[in-house]
Every structure is written in C-alpha cells, then in structure tokens.
Amino acid sequence: MPYEPPPYLAELTLAEIADLVAARKLPAVEGWAPQKSGDSAMRIAADGTWYHEGDPIRREAMVRAFAGLLTRDEAGQHWLVTPFEKLSIEVEDAAFIAVDCARADDALAFRLNTDDLVIAGPDHPLRAAGDAETPALYLHVRRGCEARLNRSTYAQLAEIALAEGAENNGWQIASQGARFSLLP
C-alpha cells in the first residue's frame, strides 16, 4: 500500500489536524519490558538523516516505522524498543526535525520530517536553547524525544510570533493555553 503524506499543513483546520494526529497509531512502547538490550548500529544525524551501519536509510517508510519505536530515557539515551529487545541509537541533536508549522485557531501545529503532526501545548512544549548567536528551538514530540525546528520552520514561527505582537510580549507565543519563549 503506497504512503500518502498528509495535506499541506496551512490548509488544515485544528480539528482536521487533531483527527490526523489521533489517526496515527503508534506501538505501545511504554508497556513493553524487553529483556534483551544492545546496539542498533543506527544514528540520526543532526539534519534528520537516519543511518544504519554508516549508510543512509533511503526508504522513508522504514524511517517512519523506526521513529514509531523511538524513546529517550532520563539520561538522554535514545532507544529503539520492541517487545523483545531495546537497542541504543545515536542521536546527534534531536530525533526529529520540524519542517513546517502553521497557526490553527489557538494552536501551533508542526509537521515533522517523518510526516508526523504535533500540536504544541502543555503536553508538547516548545523549548528554546542555544544562545543569541546560535538559537535553537525544540518541540517535545513523545516519549522524551524532541524535534528541532529547521531554519525555515523557525522563520515561519517567528513570522507568526511577530504578527501576534512578539516584540511587545518578550518574544513569547501561545499554543493551546501554554506560553513559550522563543528566546534562549
């Protein structure tokens, strides 16, 4: 069955985005307690490219499948988890890249490089990091994993914030009742 990416984010209402988020069936990784652990020989580069044994994974469906099994523990280690084993995976920066964003009603919606949709809010906060010279914004996705906003998505978010008076409110932006600073 061929994969059909979701429609262009800016054309969707918040209700349509919420329906697409709810339709994404993710494995119940949190309930699994695998007895075996090891190394996956996988790496996620800072640009979002997934590698296995040094070679890029070119099948997007495989990347999406692996992304659904990804978790991050309190020590910051990323893992691919199945019911039978837990394999470490090296992540250079963030597990995901936010590649698009749009304002939909009172929410900010983000599309990830895996075509996942995430709505920023209390359960999915935005986090500013870096410094004034090299700022970075991160969005909590799930299970401790984050998405780094790429340059164009950062610019989209800044335009939304400017249109909503960011220069007068300390560069903060709201989504689903939560407020987030865009400054590190």
Side-chain angles (χ1 to χ4, degrees):
M1 178 163 115
Y3 175 74
E4 290 188 34
Y8 184 61
L9 193 55
E11 296 173 355
L12 298 172
T13 66
L14 182 57
E16 291 169 328
I17 293 168
D19 287 344
L20 288 169
V21 169
R24 172 90 158 103
K25 304 291 186 236
L26 292 170
V29 171
E30 298 86 356
W32 296 341
Q35 300 301 307
K36 183 179 169 186
S37 65
D39 181 48
S40 67
M42 295 175 71
R43 172 176 65 91
I44 305 173
D47 70 358
T49 304
W50 286 58
Y51 292 87
H52 180 254
E53 295 181 345
D55 294 323
I57 300 174
R58 300 197 190 284
R59 291 186 56 208
E60 292 178 19
M62 289 298 293
V63 170
R64 281 191 298 278
F66 287 135
L69 301 172
L70 199 58
T71 187
R72 182 174 156 211
D73 63 24
E74 281 109 28
Q77 175 62 55
H78 289 81
W79 300 92
L80 289 173
V81 180
T82 73
F84 309 104
E85 62 186 344
K86 178 170 106 170
L87 303 173
S88 64
I89 180 170
E90 178 188 346
V91 177
E92 289 180 0
D93 186 8
F96 303 97
I97 304 293
V99 296
D100 191 15
C101 89
R103 168 67 80 191
D105 299 330
D106 73 334
L108 292 165
F110 294 85
R111 180 185 314 266
L112 307 183
N113 58 324
T114 55
D115 277 337
D116 285 299
L117 297 176
V118 179
I119 301 170
D123 294 333
H124 301 280
L126 284 166
R127 175 177 69 86
D131 56 39
E133 297 297 315
T134 55
L137 283 176
Y138 294 87
L139 172 68
H140 180 267
V141 176
R142 60 179 168 265
R143 302 181 199 123
C145 296
E146 293 181 313
R148 183 174 179 158
L149 277 63
N150 68 8
R151 176 177 246 135
S152 63
T153 306
Y154 196 113
Q156 284 177 295
L157 186 59
E159 286 178 23
I160 293 167
L162 279 169
E164 296 175 2
E167 291 176 310
N168 300 325
N169 71 12
W171 282 92
Q172 292 192 2
I173 195 160
S175 183
Q176 293 194 316
R179 296 196 67 75
F180 308 105
S181 175
L182 302 182
L183 300 176

